[in-house]
Short mmCIF file of all heavy atoms in Angstrom, two decimals:
data_model
loop_
_atom_site.label_atom_id
_atom_site.label_comp_id
_atom_site.label_asym_id
_atom_site.label_seq_id
_atom_site.Cartn_x
_atom_site.Cartn_y
_atom_site.Cartn_z
N GLU P 274 55.09 -66.12 -71.68
CA GLU P 274 55.40 -64.76 -72.13
C GLU P 274 56.09 -64.01 -70.98
O GLU P 274 55.68 -64.13 -69.82
CB GLU P 274 54.13 -64.03 -72.54
CG GLU P 274 53.49 -64.64 -73.79
CD GLU P 274 52.29 -63.85 -74.27
OE1 GLU P 274 51.22 -64.01 -73.65
OE2 GLU P 274 52.42 -63.08 -75.22
N VAL P 275 57.11 -63.25 -71.36
CA VAL P 275 57.87 -62.49 -70.35
C VAL P 275 57.16 -61.16 -70.11
O VAL P 275 56.98 -60.36 -71.04
CB VAL P 275 59.32 -62.26 -70.81
CG1 VAL P 275 60.10 -61.46 -69.75
CG2 VAL P 275 60.01 -63.59 -71.11
N LEU P 276 56.75 -60.96 -68.87
CA LEU P 276 56.00 -59.76 -68.49
C LEU P 276 56.91 -58.87 -67.64
O LEU P 276 57.34 -59.29 -66.56
CB LEU P 276 54.75 -60.21 -67.71
CG LEU P 276 53.67 -59.19 -67.36
CD1 LEU P 276 52.36 -59.92 -67.07
CD2 LEU P 276 54.04 -58.32 -66.20
N VAL P 277 57.22 -57.71 -68.14
CA VAL P 277 58.08 -56.79 -67.38
C VAL P 277 57.21 -56.06 -66.36
O VAL P 277 56.27 -55.35 -66.73
CB VAL P 277 58.80 -55.78 -68.31
CG1 VAL P 277 59.75 -54.91 -67.51
CG2 VAL P 277 59.52 -56.51 -69.43
N ALA P 278 57.51 -56.26 -65.09
CA ALA P 278 56.71 -55.68 -64.01
C ALA P 278 57.58 -54.76 -63.17
O ALA P 278 58.80 -54.70 -63.35
CB ALA P 278 56.12 -56.79 -63.14
N SER P 279 56.93 -54.03 -62.27
CA SER P 279 57.63 -53.08 -61.41
C SER P 279 58.32 -52.01 -62.27
O SER P 279 59.45 -51.61 -62.00
CB SER P 279 58.63 -53.82 -60.51
OG SER P 279 59.25 -52.99 -59.59
N ILE P 280 57.59 -51.57 -63.27
CA ILE P 280 58.08 -50.51 -64.17
C ILE P 280 57.94 -49.16 -63.47
O ILE P 280 56.92 -48.88 -62.86
CB ILE P 280 57.31 -50.58 -65.51
CG1 ILE P 280 57.89 -51.73 -66.36
CG2 ILE P 280 57.32 -49.25 -66.24
CD1 ILE P 280 57.22 -51.93 -67.69
N ARG P 281 59.00 -48.35 -63.56
CA ARG P 281 59.01 -47.08 -62.84
C ARG P 281 58.95 -45.85 -63.75
O ARG P 281 58.65 -44.76 -63.30
CB ARG P 281 60.30 -46.95 -62.01
CG ARG P 281 60.47 -48.00 -60.94
CD ARG P 281 59.87 -47.53 -59.62
NE ARG P 281 60.31 -48.36 -58.52
CZ ARG P 281 59.69 -49.47 -58.14
NH1 ARG P 281 58.62 -49.87 -58.80
NH2 ARG P 281 60.14 -50.19 -57.14
N HIS P 282 59.30 -46.03 -65.02
CA HIS P 282 59.35 -44.89 -65.94
C HIS P 282 59.32 -45.39 -67.39
O HIS P 282 59.57 -46.58 -67.65
CB HIS P 282 60.60 -44.04 -65.69
CG HIS P 282 61.85 -44.86 -65.52
ND1 HIS P 282 62.42 -45.54 -66.57
CD2 HIS P 282 62.60 -45.14 -64.43
CE1 HIS P 282 63.48 -46.18 -66.12
NE2 HIS P 282 63.61 -45.97 -64.82
N PRO P 283 59.02 -44.48 -68.34
CA PRO P 283 58.90 -44.92 -69.74
C PRO P 283 60.17 -45.56 -70.31
O PRO P 283 60.08 -46.37 -71.23
CB PRO P 283 58.55 -43.62 -70.49
CG PRO P 283 57.88 -42.77 -69.46
CD PRO P 283 58.59 -43.07 -68.17
N MET P 284 61.35 -45.23 -69.77
CA MET P 284 62.57 -45.87 -70.30
C MET P 284 62.58 -47.37 -70.05
O MET P 284 63.17 -48.13 -70.82
CB MET P 284 63.84 -45.22 -69.70
CG MET P 284 64.43 -44.10 -70.54
SD MET P 284 64.51 -44.42 -72.31
CE MET P 284 65.98 -45.44 -72.42
N HIS P 285 61.93 -47.80 -68.98
CA HIS P 285 61.79 -49.25 -68.76
C HIS P 285 60.98 -49.87 -69.91
O HIS P 285 61.25 -51.01 -70.32
CB HIS P 285 61.08 -49.53 -67.43
CG HIS P 285 61.98 -49.50 -66.22
ND1 HIS P 285 61.55 -49.08 -64.99
CD2 HIS P 285 63.28 -49.88 -66.06
CE1 HIS P 285 62.55 -49.19 -64.11
NE2 HIS P 285 63.61 -49.67 -64.74
N VAL P 286 60.00 -49.13 -70.40
CA VAL P 286 59.19 -49.64 -71.52
C VAL P 286 60.03 -49.67 -72.79
O VAL P 286 60.02 -50.66 -73.54
CB VAL P 286 57.92 -48.77 -71.73
CG1 VAL P 286 57.04 -49.36 -72.82
CG2 VAL P 286 57.14 -48.63 -70.42
N VAL P 287 60.78 -48.61 -73.02
CA VAL P 287 61.65 -48.52 -74.20
C VAL P 287 62.64 -49.70 -74.20
O VAL P 287 62.82 -50.38 -75.22
CB VAL P 287 62.40 -47.17 -74.21
CG1 VAL P 287 63.46 -47.12 -75.32
CG2 VAL P 287 61.42 -46.02 -74.38
N GLU P 288 63.23 -49.97 -73.06
CA GLU P 288 64.19 -51.08 -72.95
C GLU P 288 63.50 -52.43 -73.14
O GLU P 288 64.06 -53.35 -73.73
CB GLU P 288 64.88 -51.05 -71.58
CG GLU P 288 65.99 -50.04 -71.49
CD GLU P 288 67.17 -50.42 -72.39
OE1 GLU P 288 67.87 -51.40 -72.07
OE2 GLU P 288 67.37 -49.76 -73.42
N SER P 289 62.28 -52.53 -72.65
CA SER P 289 61.52 -53.78 -72.81
C SER P 289 61.27 -54.06 -74.28
O SER P 289 61.35 -55.22 -74.74
CB SER P 289 60.18 -53.70 -72.07
OG SER P 289 60.39 -53.43 -70.71
N ILE P 290 60.98 -53.01 -75.03
CA ILE P 290 60.75 -53.16 -76.48
C ILE P 290 62.05 -53.63 -77.13
O ILE P 290 62.08 -54.58 -77.92
CB ILE P 290 60.31 -51.81 -77.10
CG1 ILE P 290 58.96 -51.36 -76.53
CG2 ILE P 290 60.26 -51.90 -78.63
CD1 ILE P 290 58.61 -49.90 -76.79
#
Side-chain angles (χ1 to χ4, degrees):
E274 293 185 282
V275 180
L276 189 160
V277 184
S279 185
I280 281 179
R281 298 269 194 272
H282 45 70
M284 266 317 280
H285 277 147
V286 183
V287 172
E288 281 293 290
S289 302
I290 296 165

